[in-house]
Amino acid sequence: MIEVRVLGPLRALVDGAPVALGGPRQRAVLAMLVAANGRTVPVDRIVDELWGDSPPSSALATLHAYISRLRKLLEPRRAPRAAGTVLVSDPVGYSLSLPVEAVDAWCLERAVHSVQEQARELTAEQALAILRAALDRWAGEPYAGFGTAPWAQAEATRLREARLAGRERSIACLLKLGRAEAAIAAAGELAAEHPLRGLSWWLYALGLWAADRDAEALTVLNRHRALLAEELGLDPEPALAELEQAIRLRRGEVRERLLDVGAEHAPDEFTVRPAQLPRTAATFAAREAELAVLTGRGAPLTVITGPGGIGKTTLAVRWAHQVADRHPDGQLYADLRGFGPEETAAEPADVLAGFLVALGVPGRRIPPGEAERSALFRGLLDGRRMLLVLDNAQTAEQVRPLLPGAPGCTVVVTSRNRLAELGAPTCELDVFDAAEAAAYLRARLGAALVDAEPRARDAVIARCGGLPLALAVVCARAGGFPLSAVAEELAEEEGLDAVAGG
């Protein structure tokens, strides 16, 4: 039996006995595979994470050696030259194939998610037992020893959030079971650790009210209100205000309702989850390699760059939809209008105002200045897992005020400029080659129409120069006409202006 633990320092046990996992880079390989949660991690991403921008010429051979040693440690009974069953290789990279119960981090996340999803089916006693078994696995900071690596920071943030949600739901279960004093102690500890998190204070006050300690409950709510005003200039969430009013009016029926069913669902009352991604294109072709790079890279900040009309926005939005489920706190989108034909570039302060409203900040509470708005925005995103798409950026200075200040969020920026000042990895787009352009036309117009006239198809592709925008306009204008007619029309036009909508 194999166990891998990352809630604290990285450890592995085989048949209950710990194994020595080798040096820092070899340990990092295993940790990255755990963080991928069963998904394949591409070889190039592992190399980038281990050696950065200057990998040695022996990087691939060294990585293969790390994998070989880890296999010997984790699969001691594997036959020589047999394929790995725990550390699995494929043409792209490596993955870790283990049951959920073999990895403490996977167990924690599954427990929290299962209790959330089965809230109506599980009794409070059953839910509490599941959560405690998972929370007891916590042995310290996740991925301890890898804290400076971006992938480790993001995973640690995600696991801290899962643990926090599990602790809050455990307190809700205690309240439903009538164990108010235990709930008060746990909620008080949580509120002290996370003084700006409304749900912790809501549970704390509800526990005090359940124990007939009404005055203390009101004091707790007042303390939270003062903290919010001082730190963020905000009022408490409506659920907290409603709870305070119910306590003041001594509405016992509200207390019984909250203790009976409300506590398990309380997290939804405290989280605004914006979903601002534009609709993704119905057809998508020829950028699968770039999608794989973006997904495999897992970077907290990426810049997609290339000339106008190359498909940067289409790729960014497509990828964002694919990974949206990894960002349960929502998605934010803004067109920064960096290269619009007539519009002036968007001011960061205006974009921040829109983001703050989407995150539930009342208009009257939005600070007037860019710096203050940026600080409030970073505070609201701290500890959250959100996805931001900053489209059509002009300069790094336009982007910087819009970036989260803590790990856990993912940002993708599109721009005609490289924005090297951001220090982020880039994904550079080029025009389609002939095969990619043909695949795009087939996806949009149908293979039968496109391949019926190969000479006309090739003429259209050559006339568009592989530019995705020009091909998209051609497809919109084709309207079911044969490609020969489209090719003749294009041949009579000068340049690509007409093709691009001129």
Side-chain angles (χ1 to χ4, degrees), residues 173-198:
C173 293
L174 289 171
L175 289 171
K176 189 169 184 178
L177 292 168
R179 298 164 61 180
E181 294 301 330
I184 291 168
E189 181 180 339
L190 209 54
E193 294 175 14
H194 303 276
L196 300 180
R197 190 175 176 97

Side-chain angles (χ1 to χ4, degrees), residues 18-44:
V19 296
L21 293 173
R25 286 198 174 102
Q26 185 168 301
R27 295 169 63 83
V29 171
L30 178 58
M32 276 188 273
L33 296 181
V34 174
N37 202 9
R39 299 184 300 273
T40 296
V41 183
V43 167
D44 57 352

Side-chain angles (χ1 to χ4, degrees), residues 477-494:
R477 290 172 56 179
F481 292 104
L483 279 186
S484 56
V486 177
E488 290 175 9
E489 182 181 353
L490 293 179
E492 297 173 358
E493 297 172 344
E494 294 186 4

Side-chain angles (χ1 to χ4, degrees), residues 4-263:
V4 181
R5 300 174 183 174
V6 294
L7 299 179
L10 175 67
R11 296 181 64 205
L13 297 91
V14 176
D15 296 331
V19 296
L21 293 173
R25 286 198 174 102
Q26 185 168 301
R27 295 169 63 83
V29 171
L30 178 58
M32 276 188 273
L33 296 181
V34 174
N37 202 9
R39 299 184 300 273
T40 296
V41 183
V43 167
D44 57 352
R45 181 191 167 193
I46 299 176
V47 170
D48 286 345
E49 295 289 355
L50 293 181
W51 289 284
D53 295 332
S54 303
S57 58
S58 60
L60 288 179
T62 303
L63 174 58
H64 293 157
Y66 291 156
I67 293 293
S68 177
R69 292 173 197 152
L70 287 170
R71 278 180 173 151
K72 289 178 181 178
L73 292 168
L74 299 178
E75 306 175 58
R77 289 179 286 275
R78 182 175 62 93
R81 299 185 179 278
T85 58
V86 174
L87 283 179
V88 180
S89 59
D90 64 28
V92 175
Y94 300 98
S95 62
L96 186 66
S97 178
L98 284 173
V100 171
E101 56 271 17
V103 181
D104 54 0
W106 299 357
C107 282
L108 174 61
E109 290 189 287
R110 183 181 66 174
V112 174
H113 292 158
S114 67
V115 169
Q116 290 172 341
E117 293 170 359
Q118 302 177 58
R120 297 184 183 278
E121 290 78 20
L122 295 172
T123 66
E125 197 74 61
Q126 290 171 329
L128 184 61
I130 292 170
L131 290 169
R132 281 187 166 170
L135 292 169
D136 284 347
R137 290 173 172 260
W138 193 271
E141 183 66 15
Y143 295 95
F146 306 103
T148 59
W151 64 266
Q153 292 178 352
E155 286 300 305
T157 298
R158 191 164 60 83
L159 290 167
R160 283 194 296 267
E161 182 65 24
R163 182 192 183 215
L164 183 54
R167 292 170 70 188
E168 288 169 339
R169 204 160 284 270
S170 297
I171 295 168
C173 293
L174 289 171
L175 289 171
K176 189 169 184 178
L177 292 168
R179 298 164 61 180
E181 294 301 330
I184 291 168
E189 181 180 339
L190 209 54
E193 294 175 14
H194 303 276
L196 300 180
R197 190 175 176 97
L199 178 54
S200 301
W201 292 87
W202 187 87
L203 291 166
Y204 192 11
L206 180 59
L208 290 165
W209 192 22
D212 296 320
R213 296 158 62 178
D214 300 19
E216 292 177 70
L218 293 173
T219 298
V220 160
L221 292 172
N222 285 333
R223 195 190 323 161
H224 177 58
R225 178 184 291 105
L227 280 169
L228 275 183
E230 180 180 353
E231 296 291 331
L232 300 178
L234 297 178
D235 292 326
E237 292 94 340
L240 281 160
E242 292 167 7
L243 178 62
E244 180 178 7
Q245 184 180 31
I247 296 172
R248 290 189 184 280
L249 297 177
R250 299 188 177 185
R251 296 187 58 185
E253 77 283 2
V254 174
R255 180 172 72 173
E256 295 309 311
R257 176 174 57 83
L258 293 177
L259 292 173
D260 183 38
V261 297

Side-chain angles (χ1 to χ4, degrees), residues 319-397:
W319 177 76
H321 277 283
Q322 286 191 357
V323 300
D325 60 344
R326 302 185 196 175
H327 303 83
D329 293 317
Q331 310 94 43
L332 295 169
Y333 172 89
D335 180 0
L336 302 186
R337 306 195 308 268
F339 298 91
E342 298 176 358
E343 297 175 296
T344 57
E347 293 292 337
D350 296 335
V351 177
L352 285 166
F355 283 171
L356 292 172
V357 169
L359 291 168
V361 179
R364 68 184 185 279
R365 291 294 187 182
I366 295 177
E370 177 187 303
E372 293 82 3
R373 290 179 182 182
S374 184
L376 175 57
F377 180 63
R378 291 194 300 271
L380 291 174
L381 262 58
D382 187 27
R384 294 194 186 189
R385 286 182 289 153
M386 297 196 72
L387 176 62
L388 285 74
V389 178
L390 305 178
D391 195 17
N392 200 14
Q394 189 176 73
T395 64
E397 288 69 28

Side-chain angles (χ1 to χ4, degrees), residues 432-443 450-451 457-458 461 471:
F432 291 160
D433 61 26
E436 291 171 330
Y440 180 89
L441 292 175
R442 293 187 189 99
V450 171
D451 294 333
R457 176 198 65 207
D458 295 344
I461 290 172
L471 289 165

